[in-house]
Amino acid sequence: MPLFGRFWPKKKDDESSGEECEDKSADDLSYVGEAVYNVLRRHHNHHHHELWNVTKGKIVGDLQFTPRDAFTRMDRTDPVDGHDDWFPKAALSVMRKTQVWCDVLSLAPPDGKFMVEFKDALREICENQTFETSLMSGHNRITVRMMFGNIVGMPVNCNRIIKELTKDLPPDAKHKLKLWVGSWRKDVSWNHAKIIAVDGKYLWTGGHNFWDPHYLQEKPVNDLSLEMEGGVARDAHRFANAQWGYVVKKQSTAWGRFVDKNVGDYMEVPRRARVTVSDFPETNAAEFPPYYKERKQIMRRSVDNRMRDPDYVPCITMGRYGALLKKARPSDDGIEAMLKAAKVVIRMAIQDLGPVPLPGTKQALPGLSWPHVYLKALALAIWERAVDVEIVLSNPGSIPGNLSPTEACYGNGWSCVDVAAEIIKTIRKMYPSASDSELRVKVQDNLRVCFLRSPEGGRHYKDGQTLGLHSKHFIVDDICCYIGSQNLYICDLAEWGVVIDDREKTQFVKGQYWDPMWKTSYKVDDCEVDKVMDGLEISREADNQYELTVLQYEQAKQKLHATATANIDAFNKKIGKDDRDGPDSSESDGEE
């Protein structure tokens, strides 16, 4: 079994060579897409067709955002039972089309209704695999690769996942299907991309993890994904190849073989890296999957289809491998280029910009920092071109379902004033001659930051818990947009997303998701000019770069839990005094 050498860059390729590559599909890009393309081809030419590519894609159906009634719910009750049970089936509809090859990537394995749909999709794939379809595809068995992140303290038990996924398959499934489940971690880096790619033709991607309690039960977190067709799907397969290459590389060492045979998947090992992999049906041969390689006849048919269908528009796929590469992070540079290219407006629907802070303070956790590259791009756009910047953030400390703060917490803890102040501070650093009066005008005229809200419940669900936002979505000049897995706060994980570079399709995305979100969420009080200007003197960076001890980490968790509980208790007391005015009637949404 090869070690995926062609997908694993050599050390010298882990840096920009200064050489440029050309992509024949880049002729129809907008000025925003052109800016992204030029950065990628000049600085990441070695990763062309692996971590980025210019291609064509078609949006299929409506956007998939949850809760579905997030911006139309007109009373103060929480979403009703079964509010988004449609979503697992919709997301997995792509997987059911598999005839030859399916790649699944997510932060962690599916649970609840998502696991049910995955099992049902595998069963349907097997039932659809007949002798005739095998002859047409040229493959005796369908290949399915599932890759998850091996999060610190949460190792993926691949053997158990395999057993659960396959226990209800038909008896002849082992002759029709070959399934691998793997996971990896290097230091504090792991897979965070959310992808279902099928046969190089069909794609589902976005921000959703396959977690039932987070999306389908009480107090769900808000998120966004979409389904596409076209070359974007091939790029997703290619992105998966190198992650599997890392698993093969580590598992093929003497230590890797020893751990594989003697240490359960569910156990941690005293090493910086941890990989696990299991297969179905289990054999004595090497358990590593093949790498994806597009077939020329399929590529020709796909190109012909794109030329005939006007709904196929220019797209740029871009990602990053986190710690698997020493320096190269193509999508980081691509996102920066998008923001710098803005001439009119930047719109962002994101969880956070700031890092995780020390609970109860205005300082980042030691070792963490604000994303200064993106802050500088926003500052440049605001100051030099008077670009409007509109940002919707998750409410701090939002916890879905009946989960604990350590299981799920959407919202790092910064107020809208904190975020706005850091952007304006960056302007002041970049342009020392800027006066306070000029900066005040920029806050007043060009910068709008708010928390996520629902139409009647404001920032809260019925019990006082705040609304969480997990989407990774932004729009530049209403002609180009990104939907994917990459957060804009610093977190060195493996990420992937799609830039849709077409005015009409971007307007479609904006109309379905951003417009109702902004109309429902925006309040000027979230980002008052005076509070932002007063906040310019606050240092929100960590004091020094040292690691938290176990005791400090436990104290931080306890403080976070106490703060969340106190906020809910305070909210319940407030609405107990006067429930008529709603949760937003007397609260201060500014500096917290």
Side-chain angles (χ1 to χ4, degrees):
M1 180 65 207
L3 294 183
F4 296 83
R6 58 173 291 197
F7 299 103
W8 206 250
K10 299 177 182 178
K11 289 184 178 180
K12 68 176 183 179
D13 292 345
D14 200 8
E15 304 177 20
S16 170
S17 66
E19 300 171 358
E20 298 182 5
C21 64
E22 298 288 340
D23 194 309
K24 296 180 181 179
S25 300
D27 294 339
D28 299 328
L29 297 176
S30 71
Y31 60 86
V32 179
E34 189 78 20
V36 177
Y37 168 60
N38 282 329
V39 165
L40 295 177
R41 74 188 185 95
R42 290 169 181 164
H43 298 290
H44 301 282
N45 54 303
H46 293 301
H47 302 288
H48 188 210
H49 294 307
E50 295 173 19
L51 277 175
W52 71 272
N53 191 37
V54 183
T55 184
K56 292 288 182 80
K58 172 184 176 180
I59 299 176
V60 177
D62 292 332
L63 299 181
Q64 297 180 12
F65 59 90
T66 58
R68 200 57 162 173
D69 65 352
F71 313 119
T72 57
R73 191 167 62 248
M74 298 308 296
D75 57 47
R76 286 188 52 199
T77 59
D78 294 347
V80 298
D81 290 343
H83 53 86
D84 283 287
D85 285 355
W86 63 272
F87 175 61
K89 187 174 291 293
L92 271 293
S93 65
V94 169
M95 186 175 178
R96 296 172 187 273
K97 299 177 182 179
T98 305
Q99 294 184 342
V100 177
W101 196 291
C102 176
D103 272 310
V104 176
L105 295 91
S106 191
L107 176 59
D111 60 16
K113 291 183 174 67
F114 290 99
M115 175 59 83
V116 171
E117 288 298 327
F118 267 98
K119 294 168 64 175
D120 195 51
L122 287 174
R123 179 190 55 77
E124 188 170 326
I125 288 172
C126 289
E127 291 176 351
N128 292 338
Q129 178 74 337
T130 63
F131 178 72
E132 289 77 12
T133 58
S134 297
L135 286 178
M136 290 176 61
S137 66
H139 290 73
N140 293 327
R141 289 194 294 182
I142 292 171
T143 297
V144 179
R145 306 186 301 183
M146 295 187 181
M147 177 63 71
F148 305 110
N150 204 310
I151 306 170
V152 174
M154 299 173 58
V156 176
N157 190 332
C158 294
N159 289 326
R160 188 174 67 184
I161 298 300
I162 283 273
K163 289 179 181 178
E164 179 63 24
L165 286 168
T166 60
K167 68 179 183 180
D168 297 324
L169 292 181
D172 63 347
K174 62 184 179 180
H175 302 298
K176 297 182 174 182
L177 174 72
K178 186 62 177 176
L179 168 66
W180 287 267
V181 173
S183 70
W184 66 270
R185 179 182 77 245
K186 183 178 181 183
D187 296 324
V188 289
S189 191
W190 45 78
N191 177 68
H192 187 253
K194 299 92 169 59
I195 292 170
I196 302 176
V198 169
D199 292 346
K201 296 187 289 185
Y202 310 109
L203 172 72
W204 175 94
T205 192
H208 285 90
N209 294 303
F210 302 124
W211 289 341
D212 192 311
H214 296 238
Y215 296 104
L216 308 181
Q217 299 182 23
E218 298 177 11
K219 303 181 286 291
V221 64
N222 289 250
D223 215 334
L224 170 68
S225 297
L226 83 167
E227 181 180 341
M228 301 187 74
E229 293 180 2
V232 289
R234 291 202 308 274
D235 295 342
H237 290 302
R238 293 163 174 164
F239 174 76
N241 275 338
Q243 293 195 40
W244 280 104
Y246 181 71
V247 171
V248 173
K249 176 183 176 182
K250 301 302 291 186
Q251 196 87 316
S252 298
T253 64
W255 171 257
R257 290 191 293 270
F258 171 81
V259 170
D260 180 49
K261 294 183 179 299
N262 298 281
V263 180
D265 289 352
Y266 56 90
M267 298 177 65
E268 292 284 5
V269 295
R271 290 293 184 100
R272 293 173 54 194
R274 177 71 162 120
V275 302
T276 56
V277 59
S278 298
D279 61 338
F280 168 88
E282 187 174 3
T283 64
N284 292 325
E287 60 181 7
F288 305 122
Y291 61 82
Y292 173 81
K293 185 176 181 180
E294 57 268 7
R295 301 169 66 200
K296 292 183 178 179
Q297 52 267 54
I298 294 178
M299 290 179 64
R300 284 197 294 268
R301 288 199 299 267
S302 298
V303 171
D304 291 341
N305 290 337
R306 293 202 305 269
M307 293 179 64
R308 288 194 296 265
D309 191 340
D311 286 333
Y312 281 88
V313 298
C315 294
I316 301 175
T317 58
M318 58 185 189
R320 66 201 305 280
Y321 287 140
L324 296 188
L325 291 177
K326 290 183 178 180
K327 294 184 179 181
R329 308 288 190 276
S331 56
D332 294 16
D333 292 345
I335 292 172
E336 179 190 6
M338 287 185 71
L339 301 181
K340 284 185 174 180
K343 298 179 180 179
V344 182
V345 61
I346 297 170
R347 312 181 197 271
M348 294 180 166
I350 55 178
Q351 179 183 309
D352 287 289
L353 260 179
V356 178
L358 281 168
T361 76
K362 289 292 185 182
Q363 289 186 312
L365 279 174
L368 302 183
S369 178
W370 286 74
H372 296 293
V373 168
Y374 300 144
L375 294 178
K376 289 178 180 178
L378 294 173
L380 182 147
I382 291 173
W383 184 257
E384 294 193 358
R385 295 190 297 279
V387 170
D388 290 333
V389 173
E390 299 178 343
I391 305 175
V392 180
L393 297 170
S394 183
N395 291 279
S398 297
I399 303 169
N402 295 311
L403 302 172
S404 71
T406 55
E407 291 178 286
C409 186
Y410 297 93
N412 287 344
W414 304 102
S415 72
C416 298
V417 168
D418 291 324
V419 172
E422 288 300 307
I423 295 172
I424 299 301
K425 281 170 63 177
T426 304
I427 295 178
R428 190 166 63 177
K429 291 177 182 178
M430 293 175 64
Y431 306 95
S433 62
S435 66
D436 281 0
S437 61
E438 289 174 312
L439 294 176
R440 182 178 291 272
V441 170
K442 291 300 183 183
V443 179
Q444 183 72 48
D445 294 347
N446 300 106
L447 183 57
R448 293 174 282 279
V449 186
C450 69
F451 286 125
L452 179 72
R453 286 178 171 83
S454 64
E456 292 296 325
R459 293 171 53 194
H460 298 86
Y461 285 114
K462 191 174 181 180
D463 69 349
Q465 183 55 261
T466 54
L467 276 67
L469 179 62
H470 190 245
S471 61
K472 301 89 171 61
H473 172 52
F474 48 90
I475 305 170
V476 176
D477 289 357
D478 295 345
I479 65 172
C480 187
C481 67
Y482 172 91
I483 297 176
S485 71
Q486 186 161 341
N487 291 301
L488 296 193
Y489 61 88
I490 296 175
C491 194
D492 194 23
L493 306 179
E495 312 280 11
W496 194 84
V498 178
V499 177
I500 300 169
D501 190 33
D502 178 79
R503 182 184 297 273
E504 181 181 345
K505 298 307 177 185
T506 298
Q507 291 290 342
F508 169 78
V509 172
K510 176 175 175 286
Q512 283 213 334
Y513 191 66
W514 173 267
D515 287 347
M517 171 185 283
W518 186 252
K519 181 180 179 180
T520 300
S521 301
Y522 179 63
K523 284 193 176 183
V524 68
D525 293 345
D526 281 348
C527 193
E528 294 181 6
V529 177
D530 289 341
K531 292 183 177 179
V532 173
M533 297 303 294
D534 291 343
L536 297 184
E537 307 308 319
I538 297 175
S539 174
R540 298 175 181 86
E541 296 287 356
D543 277 339
N544 48 56
Q545 304 292 316
Y546 63 88
E547 297 295 328
L548 284 177
T549 65
V550 174
L551 176 60
Q552 287 173 311
Y553 178 69
E554 290 300 323
Q555 289 174 337
K557 289 197 298 184
Q558 293 169 12
K559 175 67 175 178
L560 183 61
H561 183 272
T563 300
T565 303
N567 288 340
I568 293 175
D569 289 344
F571 174 81
N572 288 334
K573 290 179 181 179
K574 183 178 70 173
I575 64 172
K577 292 179 180 178
D578 188 355
D579 193 43
R580 296 169 298 174
D581 295 332
D584 281 337
S585 59
S586 61
E587 66 178 329
S588 172
D589 290 338
E591 191 83 30
E592 296 182 359

